[in-house]
Amino acid sequence: MPDITLNFSRAEYAERLAKTRRAMEKAGVDLIIVSDPSNMAWLTGYDGWSFYVHQAVVVALDGEPVWWGRNMDGNGARRTVYMAEDNIVGYPDHFVQSTERHPMDHLSDSLKSRGWDSLRIGVEMDNYWFSAAAFESLKSHLTGASFSDATGLVNWQRAVKSPTEITFMRRAARIVEAMHAKILELAEPGLPKNELVAEIYATGIRGADGHWGDYSAFVPMLPSGVDATAPHLTWDDRPFKDGEGTFFEIGGCYRRYQCPQSRSIFFGKPPQKYLDAEAAVLEATAAGLEAAKPGNTCEDLAAAFFTTLDKFGIEKEGRCGYAIGLSYPPDWGERTMSFRPGDKTVLQPGMTFHFMPAIWLDDGGLEITEPILITEAGAECLCNTPRKLFVKS
C-alpha cells in the first residue's frame, strides 16, 4: 500500500465503499463511473485541482476502486489515495481539449482491458463534470455495455457524517466564525469591497484554533443595497455606503469540508422594514430549528419555517436549506436533500445542513443563516456567531 497520510482511516474508506456497493446492487448496476470530484474524494481520498479536465473514479462490485485521469495528475493520486499502483490510470496529454479524440475514449479502452466492457454501467448524468460528449464517447466505444443514470448515488451515501467528518465540519465552523468577526471589525462606509474581500480570504486561509483553512467551494457574496435583491452577486471595488444593507454569505473550509454561514450588516439607521424582516426571520428560524429533529422530514422543517413567515406577511420563494459537507467548486451543497415542500427525506443524527432562511426585499436583502448538525436531541448550530442584523453607524 502507498506510504501516504490519509484524512480518514482505511476502515472508514472501506465502509464508504461497502455502502456504495450496496446502493449499486439496489440500483441494478455492476460498475459506476464517478466524475463528481466530491464523490471521488469521499471514496478514495483524491484531492487535487484537476476537475477542469476529465477524470473519474471507477467502482466495480469487488476489488479496489480505480482512479482515472490525466497522466500529470496521476502523481497527485499517488499522494492522496489508498489504492495500489495498478489502480491509478492516466491518459496522455494529447487527449486534453482535443478535437480529434476524447479522454473517455481512453477510459473505454481501460475498461475493456479489465473485462468491464459488457457490464451494467452507471454514470452521473446530471452534474457539472460529465458532459454530453463524454457520454457519447462511452456509448460509441462500449457497445456491449448498458448505461443508466447514477446521479446522486454516491452523494446519498454521504448524507450521515462520521465522527471524523463532524470534527472537520466543526473546524470549518470555527474558521467561518473568524471570517465574520473580521468582517464586523473592518466593514465600514468608504471601505472598498475588494479590500474587505482580501481580508476575508486571508482570514479563511489562515484558519482558526490552530487549524489551517482550505479554499471554499463558493466565493464570498456581499451585495449591497439594490444589488442585494439578487442572491448571487460577488464584489467589485465600490465602497460600502451609509444607509445601505449588505449581506455576507461566506464559508469556512477544512480539508474540503464546508461550513457556510451568512450575516447582514446595515450601515446607519435601518428602515423599519429591515427590522420587521429581521424579527420575522429570527422567529421563523427558531421554529425551523425546533422542527429539526430525528424522525421529522426536511418538509417538516420547511413547513415550520414558512408557516411562521406567513404570520408576518412575508412570502419566500424557493427552498430554505440544503445538505452540506465535502465539496469542491462551484458549489458547497451536496445536491441531495433540501428544506422545501415535497422533500420527505427523514432527518437522521449526523446529517449536516445549511439552514438558509434568506429574505430578499424590493430594495435589499437579509441573510441570517445557520449551518446545523442533526443530533439525537435535535438541531445543533455549528457556529456561535450572534444571530441578528448587525448595525454599524
Side-chain angles (χ1 to χ4, degrees):
M1 289 185 176
D3 181 22
I4 62 168
T5 300
L6 298 168
N7 286 336
F8 301 91
S9 69
R10 293 182 186 274
E12 182 160 338
Y13 283 115
E15 176 54 29
R16 294 174 181 185
L17 194 57
K19 285 176 63 177
T20 300
R21 284 173 169 154
R22 290 192 292 269
M24 290 168 60
E25 290 176 336
K26 186 175 180 180
V29 295
D30 306 309
L31 180 141
I32 55 173
I33 298 172
V34 178
S35 52
D36 182 330
S38 303
N39 292 337
M40 292 174 63
W42 186 78
L43 285 166
T44 70
Y46 180 66
D47 183 21
W49 190 284
S50 55
F51 41 84
Y52 65 95
V53 294
H54 289 280
Q55 58 180 21
V57 163
V58 181
V59 180
L61 290 176
D62 55 26
E64 287 188 334
V66 175
W67 179 93
W68 168 84
R70 191 178 184 182
N71 260 342
M72 68 171 61
D73 294 314
N75 283 337
R78 292 178 182 92
R79 298 304 305 151
T80 55
V81 308
Y82 58 83
M83 292 92 76
E85 175 65 26
D86 58 355
N87 288 321
I88 297 173
V89 179
Y91 58 82
D93 226 55
H94 63 255
F95 281 94
V96 176
Q97 298 173 5
S98 170
T99 58
E100 300 172 352
R101 59 189 66 85
H102 195 280
M104 288 289 170
D105 303 349
H106 183 278
L107 178 59
S108 294
D109 288 340
S110 181
L111 297 184
K112 288 177 183 177
S113 71
R114 294 171 183 264
W116 290 347
D117 53 321
S118 299
L119 301 180
R120 299 171 299 173
I121 300 175
V123 293
E124 296 174 317
M125 293 286 287
D126 190 18
N127 69 29
Y128 309 121
W129 305 273
F130 186 73
S131 67
F135 190 40
E136 288 300 317
S137 171
L138 289 173
K139 289 193 298 181
S140 65
H141 287 81
L142 301 175
T143 55
S146 61
F147 292 92
S148 61
D149 186 6
T151 303
L153 186 149
V154 179
N155 302 61
W156 279 100
Q157 311 319 307
R158 296 161 44 196
V160 176
K161 307 300 183 289
S162 71
T164 304
E165 288 180 297
I166 292 170
T167 295
F168 287 2
M169 298 282 288
R170 293 190 192 282
R171 291 175 182 174
R174 302 291 80 75
I175 293 171
V176 78
E177 287 173 354
M179 295 164 78
H180 276 297
K182 181 60 67 173
I183 290 168
L184 288 169
E185 174 192 346
L186 298 179
E188 61 182 11
L191 177 68
K193 287 193 172 184
N194 62 298
E195 294 288 343
L196 182 58
V197 171
E199 297 297 331
I200 292 171
Y201 269 115
T203 303
I205 300 305
R206 288 192 181 104
D209 289 353
H211 299 291
W212 63 281
D214 210 338
Y215 62 90
S216 173
F218 217 61
V219 300
M221 303 289 176
L222 54 157
S224 303
V226 176
D227 283 352
T229 62
H232 296 133
L233 298 183
T234 56
W235 69 86
D236 51 28
D237 65 344
R238 286 180 290 180
F240 293 102
K241 294 181 182 178
D242 200 35
E244 278 190 341
T246 302
F247 67 75
F248 297 84
E249 184 174 347
I250 58 174
C253 182
Y254 179 77
R255 296 190 185 275
R256 304 307 325 135
Y257 281 80
Q258 315 286 320
C259 196
Q261 188 183 46
S262 303
R263 287 294 184 265
S264 298
I265 299 177
F266 198 94
F267 297 108
K269 183 178 180 180
Q272 188 60 43
K273 65 180 177 181
Y274 271 82
L275 300 177
D276 293 342
E278 176 194 21
V281 165
L282 293 181
E283 187 170 329
T285 298
L289 291 173
E290 178 63 26
K293 300 174 180 177
N296 280 356
T297 65
C298 290
E299 181 178 57
D300 292 333
L301 187 153
F305 174 77
F306 288 119
T307 300
T308 306
L309 274 191
D310 288 344
K311 294 194 312 182
F312 290 86
I314 295 177
E315 182 177 345
K316 173 178 164 59
E317 181 184 4
R319 62 185 181 173
C320 61
Y322 45 84
I324 54 173
L326 168 66
S327 199
Y328 286 80
D331 178 13
W332 54 32
E334 287 189 327
R335 298 180 300 283
T336 51
M337 298 164 277
S338 293
F339 294 149
R340 61 183 168 199
D343 192 326
K344 299 185 184 301
T345 307
V346 176
L347 301 177
Q348 300 177 53
M351 290 180 171
T352 49
F353 297 89
H354 186 200
F355 184 19
M356 181 72 180
I359 299 294
W360 293 285
L361 307 170
D362 58 359
D363 62 350
L366 181 72
E367 290 193 7
I368 305 174
T369 76
E370 297 293 351
I372 65 172
L373 166 69
I374 305 300
T375 73
E376 294 286 356
E380 174 192 331
C381 292
L382 291 171
C383 292
N384 296 311
T385 311
R387 191 184 308 153
K388 65 178 183 177
L389 168 64
F390 291 92
V391 178
K392 294 186 73 174
S393 58

